Amino acid sequence: AQKITQTQPGMFVQEKEAVTLDCTYDTSDPSYGLFWYKQPSSGEMIFLIYQGSYDQQNATEGRYSLNFQKARKSANLVISASQLGDSAMYFCAISPERSQGNLIFGKGTKLSVKP
Amino acid sequence: DAGVIQSPRHEVTEMGQEVTLRCKPISGHNSLFWYRQTMMRGLELLIYFNNNVPIDDSGMPEDRFSAKMPNASFSTLKIQPSEPRDSAVYFCASSLSVVGTDTQYFGPGTRLTVL
């Protein structure tokens, strides 16, 4: 079985600073994907970034990067130069390659960006 | 490019009524997923389709829930009869395939309130 743990229910960051949102996972599958989604107060789920378990380099997408430490089973999201619009819930999710779409989500971290 | 489209965005109904939620996946995507999000249980996968065929409906809470995908561009999730505990946000998501490492893109969700 797969499991995602997000230990930070809430985080605050000052505008323009960087912030790291923690995510640890548990899986026995050798091949899997890790995903981060953003859910603003308007409710939609927005895909941010993907990391494959066999990817040698950490994924980056604009101001988002993923600090992937496979041995520690962690996949932390780093947001650089925080903006007010980054205030939202952030969900980490895992899906083994052979799972046929069974995306398992963590409970999320609520990020608040202060002006 | 059009994302996943869901309708209605909000639905308020009375207990016992039939509710039908609609979803149009991203063109070219072969897999479609229905999720439910509540404060208590987070995001739960209800059912998913591959090439219009239901693959796994083990997440459907009970027989009151049913889902169909008559063609590649349309799916419905029906609740009959609805109950107050069905109140939640229902998301539809689509991906290229059911391979676990394919990214799922979510629609804006339907917020259902059953009185």
Side-chain angles (χ1 to χ4, degrees):
Chain A
Q2 284 63 238
K3 184 179 179 181
I4 291 284
T5 302
Q6 294 181 256
T7 58
Q8 308 151 313
M11 289 277 288
F12 287 91
V13 65
Q14 203 70 36
E15 192 178 10
K16 298 182 184 178
E17 292 185 350
V19 62
T20 297
L21 306 184
D22 294 342
C23 172
T24 57
Y25 60 91
D26 190 21
T27 181
S28 57
D29 287 85
S31 180
Y32 50 88
L34 293 156
F35 304 82
W36 278 92
Y37 289 84
K38 171 184 178 181
Q39 187 173 40
S41 58
S42 52
E44 66 267 36
M45 290 287 287
I46 303 167
F47 166 69
L48 294 178
I49 195 167
Y50 163 81
Q51 179 83 45
S53 59
Y54 288 118
D55 292 344
Q56 294 296 314
Q57 291 189 324
N58 287 340
T60 61
E61 286 287 348
R63 294 187 298 111
Y64 304 108
S65 61
L66 213 152
N67 184 0
F68 180 47
Q69 299 187 45
K70 192 172 181 177
R72 293 187 173 186
K73 292 190 174 180
S74 74
N76 299 337
L77 178 70
V78 181
I79 305 174
S80 63
S82 297
Q83 301 172 358
L84 295 178
D86 293 334
S87 294
M89 284 290 290
Y90 288 82
F91 292 94
C92 180
I94 186 170
S95 181
E97 183 174 14
R98 63 178 179 85
S99 74
Q100 294 204 337
N102 189 11
L103 196 57
I104 304 298
F105 286 86
K107 294 187 182 299
T109 295
K110 184 174 182 178
L111 177 67
S112 299
V113 180
K114 298 189 287 186
Chain B
D1 291 341
V4 176
I5 299 171
Q6 290 186 248
S7 64
R9 293 293 307 275
H10 302 271
E11 178 80 32
V12 180
T13 190
E14 292 189 347
M15 183 174 63
Q17 296 298 305
E18 177 179 298
V19 175
T20 299
L21 311 182
R22 296 173 176 80
C23 175
K24 177 180 170 56
I26 293 171
S27 178
H29 281 191
N30 297 310
S31 302
L32 183 140
F33 308 82
W34 282 101
Y35 290 86
R36 177 171 69 174
Q37 185 180 34
T38 61
M39 289 295 293
M40 290 295 294
R41 300 175 67 92
L43 274 154
E44 304 173 280
L45 178 65
L46 300 177
I47 185 172
Y48 69 91
F49 298 81
N50 191 45
N51 294 322
N52 313 337
V53 176
I55 302 299
D56 186 353
D57 65 353
S58 60
M60 297 284 261
E62 45 196 279
D63 292 345
R64 297 183 298 106
F65 286 70
S66 63
K68 294 182 179 179
M69 191 165 186
N71 58 61
S73 58
F74 184 65
S75 176
T76 59
L77 178 68
K78 185 177 293 186
I79 309 172
Q80 166 63 17
S82 58
E83 297 182 3
R85 60 190 167 127
D86 302 330
S87 297
V89 179
Y90 291 81
F91 287 102
C92 175
S94 72
S95 65
L96 284 172
S97 77
V98 290
V99 172
T101 48
D102 276 352
T103 299
Q104 294 183 25
Y105 295 90
F106 283 70
T110 295
R111 183 173 295 276
L112 174 65
T113 302
V114 183
L115 303 174

